[in-house]
Amino acid sequence: MFDIDAVRKTFTTSDGVKLSYLEAGKGQPFVMIPGWSQTADQWHHQINHFSKKYRVLALDMRGHGESEKPGHGYRIYRLSKDVKEFIEGLDLQNAILMGHSMGCSVLWGLYDLYGASRVSKFVFVDEPAYLSSNPTLSPEGLVQAGAIFTPEAAFSTAVALAADADGSVTTGFVSGMFTPECPKDIVQKSIALNFKFPRDKAAQLVIDHVHNDWRDVMARITVPALCIGGRASFVPWTCVVWQAEQIPNGQHEIFEANEGGSHFMFMENPQKFNARVEQFLN
């Protein structure tokens, strides 16, 4: 669907699920984790660019993209364990890990459970630390969290997704994650990739995803991390800055609206995105 110079391979998890991933290049491992309902293909600009210097591995999480779609395991911590097994199974050392959207939560879960073993740096792209506006949160806590759902909206969204027979809910949801200036073919291709994740499983994962609070993980991250947000994203850019400020060796970059600063800034403005990530890695 996108022009990607990579080889597709598979890895089998401890519970027997075949995960599909794209691999290109040689050198230090650079693992890319897409967001909820997204696929490895959406990292196409980054795969083609960074594979000139790194061994890039872009993973389709269980149920997503070309990976197997089992009837179990649609929880963040299971996805985190899948990534741990993937890194250890391929014996990756000194790996750079980059997550987008829910992919950040998967990496925060990985760090929370297993620490920074085999990890040299993190790149976190446009994800709140806590998606739900829990009514027990203080005003300050809400700013830190970057919440984008009320608890009621999270459940109603999941119900709508599970019943999304004509695809209109998914189409509307994903379309709003790009700036109006983004070429329509990119938006349409991204929407099409979402449907590779069965809608009932996508709905199930949303409920678990939204109700995890990762704020206490940030200050414990011991390796350098770059946090990237967008001024025009539905994720509040202020929470991305807050995350970077909590991480002892944290940096942040906020894309302006006229720089393609949406939830998918790495697709809308890959030149700036790749240059900023490269600056961080160097």
Side-chain angles (χ1 to χ4, degrees), residues 24 26 36 75 168 174 179 191 218 225-226 234 238-239 249 268 274 276:
K26 296 180 180 180
W36 169 86
R75 289 174 289 275
S168 59
V174 178
T179 67
I191 292 169
M218 305 303 161
L226 172 63
F234 65 93
T238 50
C239 77
N249 290 297
E268 293 205 44
N274 293 347
R276 182 62 180 92

Side-chain angles (χ1 to χ4, degrees), residues 126-144:
D126 212 43
E127 170 74 342
Y130 190 7
L131 278 78
S132 175
S133 56
N134 186 321
T136 65
L137 292 177
S138 66
E140 181 184 9
L142 285 170
V143 172
Q144 296 171 358

